[in-house]
Amino acid sequence: MSLLRRKSLESVTVHEEGRRLVRSLSWPHLIALGIGAIVGTGIYTLIGVGANLAGPAVLISFAIAGAVCACAALSYAELSTMMPAAGSAYTYSYTALGEMFAWIVGWSLILEYSLVVSTVAVGWSGYFVGFLEWVHSTLGWDIRLPAALSAGPHVEHGMFNLPAVIITWVVAGGLMLGTKESATLNAILVVLKIVALAVFVAVALPAFDAANLQPFMPYGFAKSPDAEGVERGVMAAAAIIFFAFYGFDAISTAAEETKNPGRDLSIGIIGSMVGCTIIYMLVALAAIGAMSYAVFGSSAEPLALIMRQLGHPTAALVIGVVAIIALPTVLLAFLFGQSRVFFVMGRDGLLPRRLSAVNPRTGTPVATTLFSALLVSVLAGVARLDEIAALANAGTLAAFTAVGICLVVMRRRAPDHKRSFRTPLAWIVGPAAALGCIYLFISLPSSTQKYFLLWNAIGLAVYFLYSRRNAVIGR
């Protein structure tokens, strides 16, 4: 059995009865899914983490991460319309590169989606706990959670992050009710989220002080450890902030549930990426200009903190409340993506086939959604935000590298195959996406790189012991 056996382009969209997803989404749902996934913990919470690593030069970190993601987004846009099936980068790799590479990418996507959902759940918990503190201090109602249930064991007196676990299961329950219903609610919440960020920019930008931008690049450009051993610099921050930009890849996992994939997928992927880049640069500029990064760099709710420090408690409350209400859109998008990757890998036989069963009433893969929720809720209960964000980035960078390579491979192998969207300058964009992602991976913390390699060593063991001999393509 060849390790590089490939799916044919014709077989990618042919599926057996009982293992097909229902086409119910249109391009507005996809753009909302993309913006809902991209605009979330990255800008609400990780802007503080990034500023702590790069200082005001975090603005450059945002630009670098955004440029790499733009190249990856263009690659996704072409491949998703060429192969409109669930599975995203895993499916493209199975067709272009072969089974073992597809397994590595799929295994990396499992890591990405699991840790993204966990990270966002932890970020949401930070805002929720802050909101309860505000209720206590303002209204006198003591509805605060015990410290032991407000954070994981990495925080003093913390044991288990109960709010993070609860929100994960609430979102999973919504996904199991139906894809279109979940996507419609997501679109409404996305509008709220954009309004809250517009409020932040409108209030913070008039307080812009150029002195807050000095020194602009206190930790240099390349990743380097400081006296305490913390790896800082523009690229160290970019490698973490990269987390803030991806999410458009979740759209590609919805290909099989899109009514008109040839048109709608490229609109959803590129539209959400362009919109979010503009939003991010405005919010980052307003935050850095309004307050020294040293003040908000270690906060779990940096945007709300900036509003309070500027004397706008009402705006802080609005941002905090909307974060509580709307951050679950990120959970929804990535939990959706994770369940679809599990679903397709199960349908292909690389994971147990029962994971690919579709509920006949809702048209959703209930088993994979339950399994995904169980996995990420355990992680969210005990994990640290910065550590899991960095490791999630490693999985995504692997997937994006593969997609950039797949774009070039398919241009050479199937140049005449129908493509509803053709990436401009593909021979530049594809390699730029792959090389940019490799450089960002090198800029990740050394411990993250080691954990990622360990994760894939475990994955290869699973592949050789189970997946290779159970793959449907080999029957």
Side-chain angles (χ1 to χ4, degrees), residues 12 48 55 71 79 111 117 128 151 155 159 168 183 204 206 258 273 283 315 325 358 383 428 456 465:
V12 166
C71 291
L79 292 170
L111 179 72
V117 176
F128 182 71
V155 175
M159 289 182 60
T168 298
T258 302
M273 185 66 202
V283 172
I325 296 173
V358 174
I428 296 175
N456 271 289
L465 291 173

Side-chain angles (χ1 to χ4, degrees), residues 26 29 62 103 106-107 155 197 206 215 253 260 275 294 315 317 340 347 352 411 419 437:
S26 53
H29 292 117
F62 269 101
W103 170 263
W107 193 250
V155 175
L197 291 174
T253 66
N260 185 357
L317 177 63
R340 270 50 180 182
R347 187 167 63 189
R411 277 293 181 100
R419 293 165 168 83
C437 288

Side-chain angles (χ1 to χ4, degrees), residues 243-256:
F243 179 95
F245 279 95
Y246 59 78
F248 57 84
D249 55 319
I251 296 175
S252 64
T253 66
E256 210 169 303

